[in-house]
């Protein structure tokens, strides 16, 4: 297996991009990435996209996106794993390069979510749940995560304030990120006053609906070393699935797919979680970040809430999480999220993160998951 | 047109039919192709009693399409007395008053309809087991 | 022997008071309360309809019958509010209780008499030996036009009876029907609300047919009112059944246990069957019960049952009607009622 490196990232400003189409934002991210990588070469392209079909009435992105880029003959494929589509697209690009099938593989994640109404978007997102045994009965994603939050509160005494601490921290970080959809600070009072969506989760506990795209260029470590820019080495990749329906799990507070994908990635990198300096994780809801902290092994089960409110995960904490602002503040264009997490990790490792730059970091972890953690993909990135 | 998908699940949705592994006796609801505990593909169909308790729950205040007229409504994972856990609406109650561990009982209810001219979909819901 | 092996009922938890309806329409509540002996009525939840009430009542009947639902060879659902204009309610019920696929089913309609029509057919079917058990249900989520007198009474509920030939809780002694073509109440196709003949629904309709059926069955069996422990009449309101009972020579002790309309409303096809179920809830072995339905259009079915020993063994296996009627009620205001009953115009 060949060693892997990231030589380019491309990220655009996210938000409600009324004037831009899915194909436009995907192409923008790709060309920003090519510019950053200093190359035009694309041997293959993987496209992370959850539901072009439902959000835009458009499938077949493997033809659409290269075509719009003016590079219609690029071998491309779309990768779908609900909200983990982006991370899976990066992983698939890595497989292309590691195996020797391609030398330059670009992964682009894209989701254009505002072409349909909020109700329709809620429906499209709910297709990541078990349609026949969850969505059919009227449960929503906020509802599924609310049940996890309720169970976490019941079992571990996790508090409203601890949930809010995740939101406050991520919005603070996002306020320092010019690409974020909501780059402003939020107070605990604002969280408490936001409307209840699904008890105990309020509107400000939830990640938003976002249009966005992101891209990363993967090549071999040898190729990367020829370039001027400092390459970022991908030392670990992990990937796992879990039951699609939350009710099928013996313990709904155990994110097995996250645990397994993390352990696999750490093992491949020859590291333990203690060797990781920071993480970008899938905070689709405030409770998710708390539970992911536990699943990563950063804290023991039940201690994620307290760790968050104690400042463990802040920019100046011992284990900074979501310096980008996370899904909460940066936005959550589902198929793009996993790719954008890698972009942030690379930005941090390169020392290019400006006001939100973390100090003394060499190793970062990204964790991206689909649905109620029915799938999860983890990457470990390092500077040498 | 959701008719075939709806119709296919009727035995489970109407009658709570579950699959019990003949080898390790684990009960799956809905059924799985092979037993998640022991891998056996030898099952017998059993009918769940419809009695259980709330394992966790929430109140849906912003509903998906087709459920808007029901908000706010209770939704929870009901742990059946036989073991399996079922995601379902909790109806006929003040959802604010629901608590983890509350005893629940199956009722047959309308879930949603496919517009005003389409098929009406029925299935299990749960209600507090208050003896009515 | 032919008769009932199990019975069960279902009443929605929601209620609206007569005052609440009268307030909205500027009507005088005491007129309805005193004049029609109506205080409140049941309202189906948005996720309830004739099919769900039928299923939940039938499942209660099964708890008392203690039979294999696959042995039920016929299912009849009488209602004027079947969820579909075309597509049987009976298939939904049969599937949900586990009676499919070897089962005969039909949806019946005869205004408020559809429930006892099903009972009549089911009893005769098991009597003939064609099927071991037959299930008959009277269920409705009836609607009165907003502001109309019927709005104060149109309620929701269901009663289900499993008929068989052994292990009976009540044995059928006799039946009689009385029917003419009398258009006192109707609902035309594609119309949401029924229309009625006002005072014409009284003497030439309800009273003529109910007394006709009672006189006929008493004559046929050579019995008199005081031979019966209990009597149940169709109850479109709280006034008609009391008037007809007195006119026929029945006493309060006989009709009160089955008189539900003052706090339940008129459950149409479920009305007299539910009154009968409430009576079975308290009857002792060896007691004679007279049941008379009435359906506009118009006709009455009369039945005489005699309870057996088994009634005491089975009655606690499912919720009693009075428990469903009097406990855990949730009162709603007219706005919620209008939303539940889809009286508010909303986009599709």
């Amino acid at each position: 297996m060949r060693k892997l490196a990231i030589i380019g990232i491309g990220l655009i400003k996210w938000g409600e991009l009324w004037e831009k189409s899915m194909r436009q934002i995907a192409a923008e991210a790709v060309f920003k990435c090519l510019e950053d990588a200093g190359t035009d070469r694309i041997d293959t392209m993987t496209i992370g996209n959850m539901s072009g079909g439902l959000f835009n009435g458009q499938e077949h992105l493997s033809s659409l996106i290269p075509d719009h880029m003016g590079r219609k003959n690029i071998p491309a494929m779309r990768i779908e794993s609900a909200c983990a589509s982006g991370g899976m697209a990066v992983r698939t690009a890595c497989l292309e390069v590691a195996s020797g099938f391609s030398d330059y593989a670009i992964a682009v994640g894209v989701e254009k979510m505002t072409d349909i109404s909020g109700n329709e978007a809620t429906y499209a997102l709910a297709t990541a749940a078990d349609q026949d045994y969850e969505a059919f009965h009227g449960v929503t994603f906020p509802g599924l995560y609310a049940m996890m939050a309720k169970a976490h509160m019941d079992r571990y005494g996790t508090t409203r304030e601890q949930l809010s601490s995740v939101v406050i921290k991520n919005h603070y970080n996002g306020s320092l990120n010019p690409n974020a959809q909501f780059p402003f600070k939020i107070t605990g009072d604002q969280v408490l006053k936001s409307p209840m969506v699904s008890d105990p989760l309020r509107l400000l506990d939830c990640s938003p609906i976002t249009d966005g795209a992101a891209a990363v260029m993967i090549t071999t470590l040898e190729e990367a070393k020829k370039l001027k820019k400092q390459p970022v080495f991908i030392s670990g990749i992990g990937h796992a699935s879990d039951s699609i329906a939350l009710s099928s799990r013996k313990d709904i507070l155990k994110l097995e797919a996250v645990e397994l994908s993390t352990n696999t990635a750490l093992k491949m990198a020859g590291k333990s979680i203690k060797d990781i300096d920071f993480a970008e994780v899938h905070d689709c809801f405030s409770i998710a970040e708390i539970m992911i902290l536990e699943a990563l092994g950063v804290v023991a089960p039940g201690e994620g809430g307290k760790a968050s409110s104690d400042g463990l995960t802040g920019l100046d904490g011992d284990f900074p999480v979501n310096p980008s602002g996370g899904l909460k503040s940066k936005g959550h264009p589902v198929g793009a999220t996993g790719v954008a997490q890698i972009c942030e990790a690379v930005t941090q490792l390169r020392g290019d993160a400006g006001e939100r730059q973390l100090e003394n970091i060499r190793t970062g972890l990204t964790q991206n998951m689909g649905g109620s953690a029915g799938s999860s993909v983890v990457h470990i990135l390092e500077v040498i | 047109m959701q008719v075939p998908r709806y119709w296919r699940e009727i035995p489970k949705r109407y009658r709570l039919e579950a699959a019990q592994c003949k080898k390790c006796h684990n009960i799956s609801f809905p059924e799985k192709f092979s037993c998640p505990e022991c891998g056996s593909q030898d099952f017998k169909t059993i009918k769940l009693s419809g009695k259980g308790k709330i394992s966790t729950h929430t109140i849906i205040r912003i509903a998906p399409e087709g459920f808007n007229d029901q908000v706010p409504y209770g939704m929870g994972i009901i742990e059946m007395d036989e073991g399996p856990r079922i995601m379902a609406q909790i109806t006929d109650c003040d959802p604010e008053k629901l608590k983890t561990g509350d005893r629940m009982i199956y009722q047959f209810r309308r879930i949603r309809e496919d517009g005003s001219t389409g098929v009406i979909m029925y299935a299990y819901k749960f209600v507090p087991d208050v003896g009515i | 022997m032919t008769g009932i092996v199990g019975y069960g009922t279902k009443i929605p938890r929601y209620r609206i008071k007569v005052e609440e309806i009268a307030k909205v329409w500027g009507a005088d509540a005491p007129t309805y309360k005193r004049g029609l002996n109506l205080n409140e009525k049941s309202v189906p939840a948005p996720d309830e309809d004739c099919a769900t009430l039928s299923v939940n009542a039938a499942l209660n009947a099964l708890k008392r019958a203690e039979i294999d639902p696959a042995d039920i060879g016929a299912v009849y659902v009488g209602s004027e509010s079947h969820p579909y204009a075309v597509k049987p309610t009976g298939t939904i019920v049969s599937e949900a209780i586990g009676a499919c696929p070897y089962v005969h089913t039909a949806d019946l309609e005869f205004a408020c008499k559809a429930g006892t029509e099903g009972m009549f057919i089911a009893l005769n079917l098991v009597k003939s030996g064609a099927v071991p058990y037959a299930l008959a249900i009277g269920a409705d989520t009836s609607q009165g036009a907003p502001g109309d007198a019927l709005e104060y009474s149109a309620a929701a509920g269901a009663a289900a009876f499993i008929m068989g030939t052994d292990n009976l809780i009540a044995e059928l002694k006799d039946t009689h029907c009385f029917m003419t073509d009398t258009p006192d109440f109707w609902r035309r196709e594609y119309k949401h609300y029924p229309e009625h003949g006002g005072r014409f629904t009284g003497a030439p309709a309800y009273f003529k047919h109910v007394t006709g059926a009672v006189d006929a069955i008493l004559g046929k069996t050579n019995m008199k009112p005081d031979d019966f422990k209990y009597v149940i009449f169709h109850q479109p309101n709280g006034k008609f059944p009391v008037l007809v009972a007195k006119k026929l020579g029945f006493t309060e002790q006989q009709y009160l246990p089955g008189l539900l309309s003052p706090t339940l409303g008129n459950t149409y096809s479920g009305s007299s069957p539910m009154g009968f179920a409430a009576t079975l809830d308290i009857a002792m072995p060896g007691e004679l019960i007279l049941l008379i339905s009435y359906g506009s259009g118009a006709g009455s079915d009369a039945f005489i049952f005699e309870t057996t020993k088994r009634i005491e063994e089975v009655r606690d296996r499912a919720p009693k009607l009075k428990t469903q009627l009097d406990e855990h009620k949730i009162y709603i205001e007219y706005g919620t009622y209008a939303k539940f009953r889809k009286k508010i115009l909303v986009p599709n």
Side-chain angles (χ1 to χ4, degrees):
Chain A
M1 194 180 109
R2 306 199 290 176
K3 288 194 180 328
L4 302 163
I6 296 172
I7 55 166
I9 57 172
L11 199 57
I12 61 163
K13 166 84 178 164
W14 288 0
E16 294 174 310
L17 310 176
W18 302 115
E19 294 180 3
K20 293 181 182 176
S21 65
M22 173 168 61
R23 66 182 92 185
Q24 271 176 296
I25 57 178
E28 272 183 44
V30 167
F31 280 97
K32 277 198 162 190
C33 179
L34 292 176
E35 192 187 336
D36 184 55
T39 178
D40 263 352
R41 186 172 163 191
I42 300 176
D43 294 347
T44 192
M45 174 187 251
T46 60
I47 302 161
N49 176 258
M50 173 178 162
S51 197
L54 289 173
F55 287 119
N56 319 96
Q58 178 70 62
E59 312 284 15
H60 207 182
L61 306 195
S62 56
S63 172
L64 178 88
I65 290 169
D67 185 17
H68 189 67
M69 285 161 52
R71 306 274 297 268
K72 63 186 169 65
N73 297 123
I74 293 174
M77 68 178 125
R78 170 176 153 193
I79 310 290
E80 189 277 314
S81 186
C83 313
S85 301
M88 297 296 182
V90 174
R91 180 180 182 273
T92 309
C94 288
L95 301 187
E96 284 275 345
V97 175
S99 66
F101 264 94
S102 306
D103 290 329
Y104 282 76
I106 192 164
V108 57
V110 63
E111 211 76 56
K112 171 73 191 168
M113 300 171 74
T114 60
D115 280 358
I116 53 176
S117 73
N119 252 346
E120 290 167 320
T122 304
Y123 170 78
L125 290 167
T127 60
D130 186 326
Q131 279 300 296
D132 290 335
Y133 288 89
E134 291 185 319
F136 172 82
H137 292 277
V139 73
T140 57
F141 266 98
L144 291 170
Y145 277 92
M147 286 185 226
M148 297 192 222
K150 175 78 171 58
H152 210 273
M153 291 168 135
D154 278 356
R155 192 188 303 173
Y156 299 122
T158 300
T159 64
R160 173 65 258 177
E161 289 64 35
Q162 290 169 349
L163 292 174
S164 297
S165 72
V166 174
V167 178
I168 296 163
K169 182 264 296 174
N170 285 349
H171 267 280
Y172 174 79
N173 296 354
S175 74
L176 308 174
N177 182 353
N179 284 323
Q181 180 178 12
F182 297 119
F184 47 74
K185 294 172 200 159
I186 292 264
T187 65
D189 200 41
Q190 282 174 296
V191 180
L192 277 183
K193 283 182 179 153
S194 67
M196 194 69 93
V197 173
S198 195
D199 309 44
L201 298 181
R202 294 178 178 275
L203 186 66
L204 288 177
D205 285 299
C206 310
S207 56
I209 285 181
T210 311
D211 300 329
V216 299
M217 178 66 90
I218 318 280
T219 186
T220 62
L221 193 57
E222 287 67 37
E223 281 287 314
K225 281 178 179 162
K226 295 178 197 162
L227 301 169
K228 272 183 255 167
K229 236 175 218 167
Q230 185 185 25
V232 172
F233 173 40
I234 303 180
S235 60
I237 305 173
H239 168 205
S241 301
D242 195 356
S243 59
I244 185 162
L246 192 60
S247 53
S248 300
R249 299 189 196 154
K250 280 190 181 149
D251 183 354
I252 64 163
L253 295 185
K254 199 166 146 70
L255 301 181
E256 257 181 28
V258 180
E259 269 185 47
L260 293 169
S261 55
T262 304
N263 294 343
T264 307
L266 286 170
K267 191 175 169 199
M268 178 175 162
K271 293 190 184 303
S272 89
I273 192 69
K274 294 194 172 62
D275 302 320
I276 306 295
D277 298 319
F278 72 99
E280 278 284 309
V281 307
H282 198 94
D283 61 316
C284 47
F285 298 91
S286 52
I287 184 64
E289 185 171 310
I290 287 171
M291 289 174 63
I292 291 164
L293 273 183
E294 297 166 6
L296 294 180
V298 176
V299 296
E303 290 175 11
K306 184 170 186 302
S308 298
S309 59
D310 285 352
L312 176 79
T313 54
L315 288 182
D316 54 359
D318 286 343
F319 189 82
V321 172
N322 286 328
S324 67
L327 282 55
K328 178 70 203 79
S329 162
K330 188 182 57 184
H332 185 27
V334 281
T337 285
V339 183
Q341 291 179 325
I342 308 255
C343 293
E344 176 68 10
V346 169
T347 305
Q348 289 286 349
L349 290 166
R350 282 175 177 174
D352 290 343
E355 284 183 273
R356 64 181 195 285
Q357 181 62 49
L358 303 170
E359 302 294 325
N360 302 319
I361 50 165
R362 299 194 65 81
T363 308
L365 177 149
T366 65
Q367 182 274 331
N368 179 208
M369 65 196 186
S372 47
S375 59
S376 172
V377 56
V378 167
H379 289 86
I380 294 172
L381 282 66
E382 298 181 49
V383 276
I384 301 163
Chain B
M1 224 282 277
Q2 306 180 35
V3 171
R5 274 187 73 180
Y6 163 66
W7 166 82
R8 201 176 293 133
E9 308 299 325
I10 278 177
K12 288 158 271 178
R13 288 186 176 152
Y14 285 20
R15 301 193 293 272
L16 291 177
E17 280 188 9
Q20 181 164 38
C21 175
K22 284 188 181 170
K23 206 170 139 200
C24 76
H25 308 296
N26 180 65
I27 300 171
S28 296
F29 182 92
E31 87 293 353
K32 300 249 191 272
F33 195 83
S34 61
C35 175
E37 294 298 316
C38 75
S40 163
Q41 291 182 3
D42 202 6
F43 293 100
K44 70 170 177 185
T45 300
I46 63 163
K47 221 165 121 179
L48 299 175
S49 66
K51 291 180 178 171
K53 61 180 186 196
I54 296 181
S55 158
T56 181
H57 70 283
T58 184
I59 303 170
I60 304 286
R61 295 176 192 274
I62 297 180
E65 202 72 50
F67 292 88
N68 291 322
D69 59 338
Q70 297 180 45
V71 290
Y73 55 87
M75 192 90 214
I77 296 176
I78 313 302
E79 187 182 328
M80 307 308 295
D81 288 348
E82 296 90 343
R85 287 165 299 273
I86 299 180
M87 178 72 69
Q89 251 194 67
I90 303 172
T91 190
D92 265 14
C93 63
D94 175 357
E96 304 272 359
K97 292 188 178 143
L98 294 173
K99 293 186 310 295
T100 305
D102 280 358
R103 293 293 301 173
M104 293 284 130
I105 189 163
Y106 153 101
Q107 280 235 329
F108 184 77
R109 292 294 172 111
R110 276 167 95 107
I111 302 296
R112 55 174 300 183
E113 45 192 79
D114 191 8
S116 59
T117 57
V119 72
I120 303 166
M121 290 171 260
Y122 297 90
Y124 51 81
K125 285 191 183 182
F126 285 84
V127 299
D129 191 0
V130 292
I132 57 166
Chain C
M1 285 206 305
T2 303
I4 299 165
V5 294
Y7 69 98
T9 55
K10 174 67 191 174
I11 303 175
R13 275 185 80 169
Y14 296 97
R15 301 286 186 279
I16 188 165
K17 286 183 182 288
V18 161
E19 287 87 343
E20 180 65 23
I21 300 171
K23 187 176 76 186
V24 169
W25 297 109
D28 182 41
T31 306
Y32 287 98
K33 295 184 78 167
R34 276 199 313 272
L36 292 175
N37 191 15
L38 289 170
N39 298 295
E40 60 190 54
K41 67 168 190 173
S42 66
V43 180
D47 57 4
E48 289 180 301
D49 63 18
C50 163
T52 71
L53 295 172
S54 296
V55 169
N56 293 318
L59 290 173
N60 281 334
L62 272 168
K63 286 176 195 162
R64 290 194 173 106
E66 293 186 297
I67 59 162
D68 181 349
D71 290 337
I72 295 176
V75 172
Y76 301 108
V77 184
S79 182
E80 61 108 74
S81 49
H82 291 289
Y84 290 92
V86 178
K87 197 228 155 282
T89 308
T91 54
I92 302 170
V93 175
S94 301
E95 194 74 67
I97 65 168
C100 289
Y102 304 114
V103 59
H104 180 257
T105 184
D107 288 4
L108 305 171
E109 186 279 312
F110 193 145
C112 298
K113 188 173 86 76
T116 58
E117 275 186 306
M119 292 170 71
F120 187 90
I121 299 170
L123 285 163
N124 283 296
L125 211 53
V126 294
K127 192 175 179 181
S128 76
V131 295
Y133 298 103
L135 168 65
I137 302 168
D140 257 309
T141 56
S142 40
Q143 292 259 32
D148 186 89
L150 284 181
E151 193 182 21
Y152 296 85
S153 59
F161 298 88
I162 298 169
M163 312 306 188
T165 51
D166 59 359
N167 240 357
L168 304 179
I169 58 162
E171 186 193 346
L172 179 71
K173 306 304 280 186
D174 217 329
T175 62
H176 208 294
C177 299
F178 186 98
M179 196 197 73
T180 70
D181 187 34
T182 305
D184 59 326
F185 167 102
W186 60 88
R187 178 163 60 84
R188 293 282 299 275
E189 195 156 29
Y190 310 121
K191 299 295 174 193
H192 197 56
Y193 299 116
E195 294 200 15
H196 55 85
R199 290 186 58 79
F200 182 70
T201 60
Y206 180 86
F207 292 99
K208 173 180 164 184
H209 293 80
V210 170
T211 52
V214 172
D215 289 344
I217 200 164
L218 293 183
K220 181 181 175 192
T221 56
N222 199 20
M223 294 172 83
K224 49 191 189 310
D226 61 11
D227 290 333
F228 297 92
K229 177 76 178 179
Y230 300 110
V231 63
I232 301 100
F233 297 100
H234 171 55
Q235 30 206 290
N237 49 52
K239 181 179 147 192
F240 280 21
V242 173
L243 285 179
V244 84
K246 286 179 178 160
K247 191 176 164 209
L248 288 165
F250 290 95
T251 64
E252 269 197 1
Q253 287 80 3
Q254 287 170 295
Y255 69 74
L256 272 185
L259 182 66
L260 309 174
S261 50
T263 53
L264 175 63
N266 179 7
T267 56
Y268 286 52
S269 303
S271 178
S272 53
M274 291 173 80
F276 180 44
T279 306
L280 289 174
D281 280 341
I282 56 152
M284 299 307 286
E287 292 177 341
L288 284 169
I289 303 174
L290 176 62
L291 164 67
I292 308 99
S293 65
Y294 172 73
S296 289
S300 283
D301 298 327
F303 302 82
I304 297 170
F305 288 101
E306 183 175 356
T307 49
T308 72
K309 280 210 311 272
R310 189 167 169 269
I311 190 151
E312 286 186 291
E313 294 165 31
V314 305
R315 63 165 56 117
D316 291 328
R317 291 187 186 143
K320 294 201 182 72
L321 186 135
K322 276 285 187 185
T323 314
Q324 294 177 334
L325 182 63
D326 297 339
E327 294 178 23
H328 306 287
K329 295 187 275 193
I330 303 171
Y331 285 97
I332 54 175
E333 296 179 341
Y334 196 88
T336 305
Y337 162 78
K339 179 180 139 182
F340 279 12
R341 301 306 285 134
K342 301 199 186 317
K343 291 173 193 279
I344 301 175
L345 278 176
V346 290
N348 255 337

